[in-house]
Amino acid sequence: MSVSIFILLCFAVLMVLGIPVAVSLGSASILGILFYNTSSVAAAVKLMYSSMNSFTMVAVPLFFLAGVLMEKGGVAQQIFDFCQDLVGWIHGGLGHVNILTSILFAGMSGSSVADVGSIGALCANAMIRYGYPAPYSWATTLTSSMLATVIPPSILMVVAASVGQVSMGQALFAGIIPGVILGLIMMIYNYFYCKRHGIGHRVTFNLRRLAKSFIRALPALMVVVILLGGMYSGFFTATEAAAICVAYVLIISKFVYKKLHMSDLPDVFMSVAKNTGTVLFVAITAKPAGTIFTLDGFPTMVANAITSISTNPTIVMLLIFFLLIIIGMVMDATAAIYIFLPILLPTATSVGISPLFFVVFMVIALGFGLITPPVGVCLYAAVNVSGLPMEKLSRALVPWLILMIVGLILFILFPQLITVPITWLFG
């Protein structure tokens, strides 16, 4: 048995025993080093340190901080009001508001959990008040929360770009088009579902009211403009963008919307520390495992196994896609990126798939795991907030998940939807 397979088996056993992901991964790596003498424990410690000694990874806590500040600072309500005036008059009005709000909030917070816990709960409760079935309302909220994993400034995209060694700016931009396409697919389904079942509160379109809500929401919407405009123009890097985003959100939350108070900051920083610690602890323990996999030639073995079935890029991506869905259902998305991206990326590039496309696609595919049992953190958050039984909410999610699978297969068949816009922007 190779050391790579030994580490993965140890990791799986420790996970089944209920040991936290980061501890399981780090322990499995140390056991692999001790039993196979592939390196020294001191070398593993140096690798752990080097994984954190990175300017790029500073963006992770900063984007977390920006997201929590938006949640506390009244941004969610302004975005909801604007979206209701913009699309609330269409069949399935509040469903469209829910989805569009998630798209816009995803472009600010970068966190699916933040989406579910703040603006998602606001949208779902509004839908229920106006006669939408509760399971449908929360299924809409959960599915649209997936968009925060792909639309910039996605925290997972930042991590994946770092691990895959592709441009973080390009990876973040590459998530815009697929995120919007998935959002449109959701809105089309919501339109026909609500029309068929005769549900859905609709507001009367009023241009003057829309203009007023736009003006009130404009300071919040400028977060996206500053973030993407600065990175696209080359004025600042993704990490610098995260810092500027924090400063801007702090200002508008305190002085424009006046919802953030100094007494809120200790809780804000504590929340950011917990979320950041979770992500970076996984990153630290994953580094030795990733290095051992490379030295052991495990990525090449996986590539040979997959390409022995087919060397057609479409077939290879379909195989990887269904593997990623399974991985995402049983493993934390951040851990999955650190473990499997270095293994699967060489397989994809060996058949001519763009590394940037693969990084973006993997992030979207792993987003399924956020809303599916048994480890879906967004699903558990929705169950806690809504009070709905998990079985009932999971059944309501099924048609939405099928839609998202269709969307990802669309990206496999037409990868240009992701790669061509980046070529236009960056040359």
Side-chain angles (χ1 to χ4, degrees):
M1 182 189 298
S2 73
V3 61
S4 299
I5 295 175
F6 175 81
I7 289 174
L8 289 175
L9 287 175
C10 289
F11 173 66
V13 170
L14 293 171
M15 284 281 290
V16 170
L17 293 175
I19 297 174
V21 172
V23 177
S24 298
L25 188 54
S27 300
S29 300
I30 297 300
L31 288 172
I33 290 171
L34 294 175
F35 277 96
Y36 286 83
N37 196 27
T38 54
S39 180
S40 66
V41 175
V45 172
K46 289 181 180 178
L47 286 170
M48 290 178 176
Y49 172 77
S50 67
S51 67
M52 289 299 94
N53 189 24
S54 166
F55 177 72
T56 302
M57 292 303 291
V58 175
V60 174
L62 289 173
F63 279 132
F64 268 129
L65 179 56
V68 177
L69 288 172
M70 285 179 223
E71 182 183 344
K72 296 282 188 182
V75 172
Q77 185 65 56
Q78 301 300 328
I79 297 298
F80 175 81
D81 292 343
F82 169 63
C83 291
Q84 184 170 22
D85 291 333
L86 183 63
V87 297
W89 53 273
I90 307 172
H91 263 297
L94 283 175
H96 298 308
V97 173
N98 193 336
I99 296 163
L100 182 59
T101 302
S102 288
I103 291 174
L104 293 177
F105 195 70
M108 301 174 194
S109 71
S111 169
S112 294
V113 179
D115 185 296
V116 172
S118 57
I119 205 163
L122 175 69
C123 294
N125 291 329
M127 291 177 70
I128 294 167
R129 280 198 307 272
Y130 285 100
Y132 293 80
Y136 179 80
S137 302
W138 277 100
T140 307
T141 295
L142 271 173
T143 311
S144 61
S145 75
M146 286 176 56
L147 299 175
T149 65
V150 56
I151 294 176
S154 162
I155 308 276
L156 280 180
M157 195 71 78
V158 170
V159 172
S162 175
V163 175
Q165 297 182 352
V166 300
S167 165
M168 186 183 296
Q170 291 187 24
L172 288 170
F173 270 102
I176 297 175
I177 299 300
V180 171
I181 290 174
L182 292 175
L184 289 174
I185 291 173
M186 294 177 200
M187 294 178 80
I188 292 169
Y189 172 74
N190 176 68
Y191 175 86
F192 286 107
Y193 180 91
C194 293
K195 194 170 184 180
R196 179 183 177 186
H197 292 85
I199 60 174
H201 172 74
R202 296 161 65 189
V203 299
T204 304
F205 181 78
N206 186 305
L207 186 60
R208 179 172 294 186
R209 188 175 65 235
L210 174 62
K212 288 182 179 179
S213 62
F214 173 73
I215 291 171
R216 287 195 300 269
L218 187 59
L221 296 172
M222 284 300 295
V223 174
V224 182
V225 176
I226 293 170
L227 187 69
L228 300 183
M231 286 192 293
Y232 172 63
S233 64
F235 192 72
F236 43 69
T237 66
T239 303
E240 292 165 343
I244 292 169
C245 185
V246 168
Y248 178 77
V249 170
L250 189 60
I251 291 170
I252 65 170
S253 297
K254 175 66 178 174
F255 299 107
V256 179
Y257 298 127
K258 300 179 181 179
K259 297 289 186 181
L260 184 70
H261 306 288
M262 295 302 292
S263 59
D264 296 325
L265 292 182
D267 289 338
V268 168
F269 293 140
M270 183 62 69
S271 174
V272 172
K274 289 179 180 178
N275 289 328
T276 303
T278 301
V279 172
L280 298 188
F281 192 17
V282 173
I284 288 171
T285 56
K287 185 66 175 179
T291 302
I292 293 171
F293 290 157
T294 302
L295 294 174
D296 192 38
F298 191 58
T300 303
M301 288 189 284
V302 173
N304 291 337
I306 293 177
T307 53
S308 66
I309 299 173
S310 174
T311 56
N312 183 297
T314 302
I315 302 298
V316 169
M317 281 305 301
L318 285 171
L319 292 171
I320 292 176
F321 173 39
F322 290 109
L323 175 63
L324 288 175
I325 289 180
I326 295 170
I327 291 170
M329 290 177 67
V330 298
M331 186 181 296
D332 174 77
T334 304
I337 287 172
Y338 277 106
I339 296 171
F340 291 101
L341 182 55
I343 294 172
L344 296 174
L345 182 58
T347 305
T349 56
S350 69
V351 295
I353 296 167
S354 160
L356 180 64
F357 168 81
F358 186 80
V359 165
V360 175
F361 183 86
M362 183 172 184
V363 169
I364 304 172
L366 289 174
F368 281 83
L370 295 172
I371 64 172
T372 54
V375 296
V377 290
C378 291
L379 177 61
Y380 289 114
V383 168
N384 290 333
V385 175
S386 68
L388 290 171
M390 182 176 291
E391 297 79 9
K392 198 170 187 177
L393 187 51
S394 297
R395 283 197 300 271
L397 275 169
V398 171
W400 292 98
L401 292 174
I402 293 172
L403 279 176
M404 294 301 96
I405 289 173
V406 170
L408 266 78
I409 291 175
L410 180 69
F411 298 140
I412 291 175
L413 297 177
F414 303 100
Q416 299 85 356
L417 292 170
I418 294 176
T419 57
V420 169
I422 297 305
T423 303
W424 290 343
L425 287 171
F426 292 93

